[in-house]
Every structure is written in C-alpha cells, then in structure tokens.
Amino acid sequence: MKIRTRYAPSPTGHLHIGGARTALFSYLLAKQQGGDFIVRIEDTDTERNVPGADKKQMDMLKWLGIDWDESVDVGGPYAPYRCMERMDIYNRYIDQLLAEGKAYLSYATQEEIDKEREEQLARGEAPKYSGWDRDLTPEQRAKFEAEGRVPSVRFRVPEGQVIEIDDAIRGKVKFETDGIGDFVIRRPDGRPIYNFAVVVDDALMKITHVIRGEEHLSNTPKQVLIYQALGFETPQFAHIPLILNAEGKKMSKRDESIIQFIDQYKDLGYLPEAILNFLSLLGWSPEGEEEIFSKEELVERFSLERVSKAPAIFDTGKLKWMNGQYIKKAPLERIVDLALPYLEKAGRITLPLSDEQRAWVTRVVALYQEQLEYVAQIVELTDLFFQEEYKVTEEAKEVLSAPHVPEVLSSFLNKLDTLETLEADTLKDIFKQVQKETGHKGKQLFMPVRAAVTGVVHGPDLRESLALIGLETVKSRLQQQIDKA
C-alpha cells in the first residue's frame, strides 16, 4: 500500500512551530517511503478563521522546504481539499449513520448541556453527555421543533466496549466507551465537527498514517468509533510528544520566552534549512551524534521508531547555534542579500545600492558572517561602520589612558598622512612601521588603535575594519584621542 500522510491546519492564525513540526514529520515519512504528502485546510471552525491565514501558513511551509503532492493550490484526485467545500460529502455520511441508527438528532440546548455537566461534576463524576434524547418519539421531536429548537447530530456511542489503539509511538492505548458519552458530529447550523470531518476526509483521501501532536490522543477513540461505524479502515496513528519550554512546562501561545511562529523566525533572518533541521530534532533522534542534516538527509534517515514518547525541550540557544552554523556555511552573497533589508530599515543604507556601495556592504557583512546567530543581528553588530559620532566605552577609555598610547597614535597618524586611500594590505605594513618606530607591539600596539578609532576594545579584523571605516574618519578619530591625551 502506498503511504499517504497529511497535514490539516486550521486557518486561524500563523504557522506555529508545533504545527510545522507535525507537517515536517508527516512529509518526511511520506517522502522516505515514496508516498504522497497532502495539505488539507480544516476550516469548519468559521468563527475563528482568519482571512488569508491558510495561504500564509502554506507560504511558510514552502519557505521551510516542505512541499506537497495534493492541496487546495495544486488540486489532486480527492479534491476539494478545503473542508467547507466538502459539506455534501459529510452530510451523505451523516445521513447514513442516522439511517442505520448509529447517530441521532439531539435537541438538547446549551443551557441543558451545561446544567447536566455541572451536576455531574458536583457528584464527583467525569462529565459526559447522558444521551437522554437518544430515542425520542416523532411526537417528542415535533414538540421540540415547535419550540424552535434546531437539532445537532450526535454519534451513538456503543456501551461496554474497549477501544484499543496501536499507536506507532505510544504503543497500545485503551479507552473504555462508557467514559466517552454521545458526542456531536454536526452542529445545529449544519457544520460538521472536526472529529467527524477528519475521519471522512482521511478515509476518502486514503490517508494511511496520521501523525499529530500528543494532545490529539484523546480525540482518537471518538474517531476510531466513526471509522468503525462507517466501515472505513483505520489508519496508523502516531502521536508525537509535546514541546516544552526551557523550564519543562507545556508551551502556550502566550509564552513570551520562546518565539513560536515560523514567520517570526523568517523576519529575524533565520535560514529555513536551519529551522527545518532544528524542528526535526524536537522529539526525533537519529542514530549517532550528528545534528546537522540537509532535508535530503532527513528524508533518508527519518523513522517513527526513533520518535520519543518523552516531551521535547525547545532549546532557543541550540536553535541560535544551529542557525549560526548554517549562516557560516552559506554563500556570502546570500547573507548579504538577506542583510540588506535590515540595514535599510535601520536607516543605514538606501536601496538600490551602486556596485561600489554593495561591494563595501559585502565587506562589512563578511566581517560578521562567522558570528551571526540570525541575520537581523547585522544592524547592531555593524553599528561602528555607520556612526558619525561614536562613543568610547569605559573599557576603551582605560586602554587609552596608558602612558604609551599618545606615542603609538601619533606615529600611526603620521603614517596615514602619507596615504591617499586606506586598504587592509597597506595597513599591515604601517603597523610594522609603527612597531619599529615606537617599540610597542601586540596588544600595546593594536588595542590603542582599535579603542581610538572604534570606541571599543574587541571587534572583527582590525585592518579590514579600519579600511572600511575610511581614511578620513580614521585620521579624525585618532586626532581626537591625541588631543585628549
């Protein structure tokens, strides 16, 4: 049987890291087995739907490198792939369940449901629907309808049964039907409930493996009952572990300690292949110690057998480290292209750049490519190259207070006065000349020059930095510090 997996997001907001991981695992399993990956839009919760959210989520999946074989944009043999366009299909199967006595029209109001729940809780019972209106007579139904009640459709849960799920990750999990209670499968307004629509769609689209978050495990027995009632084959379920924050607590979307949406990482200048790599390791562990994988390598190595039951910890520091590794290995021109919008937004440059300006910016970015954790950091890191007025840190002031500093700075400035342009190669000779003239070398030579020109005592390659700052600015700042001595 050809493996078919799916990711079925609700268009209620941005693509969350948990959803992206579910999509990734589903994609990897399908591609490794030569199967199909489907994206289906679960839009039956119309009150919460956000216009355009489905397209934005799909755009982020594409940005990550997760593509699909069938969906709303490319079509496929089981279209439509949007739930609200499949209403006739759902109603056909609901009518079948009603005709077979496996579902019934329920006239309970929300007030009655809430009251029943409160009474059960007060008695110390687990709340579930009692099914008091399971077997209404035609006269009783007519009476309720005369009162203006619009029925929902409830699934008639069989009593005294045990549902056993052989989960690919969690093993055998059992549920007793007596603890479930009859549940709604179609709302009074005609929209199907998720637990019903997802079963019909997965069955008709021939989904063989359903990979989803552990939080959906409690929905599974209801879905298995519907599979059985409709005579559908049950797919292989795989419930992947929760993602916890650094404190080991379940993440909520209000948790500000972690950036939680994929587009936010894109906006900060994370590389998609780094995010993809990081997400793959949230709950899945490959053989060996290696952690950096291309998408192709992940497809080759992924298996549900190596997905853990234990919760995954979202380690922000590890994500930054991993993204930094990808930035280091990326072509410089790619990082420059990513950096330009941040520099423009900060008012550092005006696009488009001339060839000369781009060459200068490229040299600036090259100085920091090794230390970037994400590309947006380029604005802060390159601050010294864009300042007209620069500040001298306390640490730099301490360096500049040493008695030998005026001699070093004066000698260095005198050598610069003979130049028309400043290049890194030229500076190598000048530093040698100053060393020979003053007798100072190493930190005693380089540190005062860095402190005087940049205002800090640590930074990228000094010769390249001075060349990028420019001859006139370097001379001016040296003179300022000599005058203060």
Side-chain angles (χ1 to χ4, degrees), residues 335-356:
I335 304 305
V336 172
D337 287 339
L338 290 171
L340 292 178
Y342 300 106
L343 294 172
E344 182 183 38
K345 186 177 179 181
R348 302 288 173 79
I349 60 174
T350 301
L351 297 176
L353 299 177
S354 67
D355 290 345
E356 184 180 357

Side-chain angles (χ1 to χ4, degrees), residues 164-175 217 236-239 309:
E164 184 174 289
I165 298 160
D166 190 7
D167 191 275
I169 296 169
R170 319 207 78 76
K172 294 189 183 301
V173 186
K174 295 181 180 180
F175 298 89
L217 185 60
Q236 171 71 70
F237 291 103
H239 290 88
K309 296 179 186 179

Side-chain angles (χ1 to χ4, degrees), residues 170-446:
R170 319 207 78 76
K172 294 189 183 301
V173 186
K174 295 181 180 180
F175 298 89
E176 295 182 356
T177 58
D178 289 348
I180 296 175
D182 296 348
F183 54 91
V184 172
I185 57 176
R186 185 171 68 193
R187 301 174 178 89
D189 65 7
R191 287 177 298 144
I193 292 293
Y194 162 79
N195 278 323
F196 182 79
V198 74
V199 168
V200 172
D201 290 341
D202 283 346
L204 297 186
M205 293 181 186
K206 303 189 185 306
I207 301 301
T208 61
H209 292 69
V210 173
I211 300 175
R212 58 192 180 190
E214 179 187 327
E215 65 272 17
H216 287 284
L217 185 60
S218 60
N219 289 325
T220 309
K222 295 179 181 179
Q223 294 172 15
V224 169
L225 286 170
I226 296 171
Y227 276 107
Q228 293 172 349
L230 291 173
F232 292 145
E233 186 174 348
T234 304
Q236 171 71 70
F237 291 103
H239 290 88
I240 56 182
L242 294 173
I243 301 176
L244 307 181
N245 63 19
E247 286 76 43
K249 297 179 180 177
K250 182 180 177 181
M251 280 199 307
S252 74
K253 291 183 179 178
R254 296 181 297 276
D255 186 348
E256 296 182 357
S257 67
I258 294 174
I259 299 172
Q260 299 197 32
F261 298 101
I262 299 299
D263 55 345
Q264 292 175 295
Y265 286 103
K266 182 185 179 190
D267 291 345
L268 283 170
Y270 279 78
L271 303 190
E273 56 268 40
I275 299 290
L276 195 78
N277 192 160
F278 179 77
L279 290 174
S280 73
L281 299 176
L282 288 177
W284 172 74
S285 58
E287 294 182 12
E289 301 298 318
E290 192 177 351
E291 292 185 303
I292 304 296
F293 301 102
S294 67
K295 184 174 74 171
E296 293 71 26
E297 289 170 330
L298 290 172
V299 168
E300 182 182 343
R301 298 192 183 203
F302 183 79
S303 69
L304 290 175
E305 288 74 22
R306 295 195 66 83
V307 176
S308 173
K309 296 179 186 179
I313 302 295
F314 193 97
D315 186 339
T316 301
K318 183 173 181 178
L319 173 56
K320 288 181 178 178
W321 168 82
M322 184 170 286
N323 195 59
Q325 298 303 304
Y326 276 91
I327 289 175
K328 286 178 186 177
K329 296 175 184 176
L332 174 59
E333 285 301 314
R334 180 186 178 192
I335 304 305
V336 172
D337 287 339
L338 290 171
L340 292 178
Y342 300 106
L343 294 172
E344 182 183 38
K345 186 177 179 181
R348 302 288 173 79
I349 60 174
T350 301
L351 297 176
L353 299 177
S354 67
D355 290 345
E356 184 180 357
Q357 290 170 326
R358 184 180 175 91
W360 183 84
V361 170
T362 298
R363 289 173 64 186
V364 171
V365 173
L367 284 175
Y368 296 95
Q369 184 174 1
E370 288 280 320
Q371 68 186 89
L372 283 173
E373 294 175 320
Y374 51 91
V375 182
Q377 289 177 324
I378 197 67
V379 173
E380 180 182 356
L381 289 173
T382 60
D383 192 50
L384 69 93
F385 295 106
F386 298 95
Q387 292 176 332
E388 289 187 14
E389 296 294 330
Y390 76 116
K391 296 179 180 178
V392 179
T393 65
E394 291 301 316
E395 199 174 4
K397 287 178 181 177
E398 185 175 344
V399 169
L400 293 170
S401 67
H404 75 286
V405 168
E407 181 186 11
V408 167
L409 298 186
S410 297
S411 174
F412 194 77
L413 179 57
N414 288 337
K415 303 295 180 292
L416 295 185
D417 283 336
T418 65
L419 303 178
E420 293 184 3
T421 60
L422 196 58
E423 297 297 337
D425 289 343
T426 308
L427 284 166
K428 184 176 182 180
D429 292 333
I430 287 181
F431 274 116
K432 285 183 178 179
Q433 293 172 31
V434 173
Q435 177 182 331
K436 186 175 181 180
E437 182 176 299
T438 64
H440 300 296
K441 60 182 180 179
K443 285 187 177 181
Q444 287 192 324
L445 172 58
F446 298 113

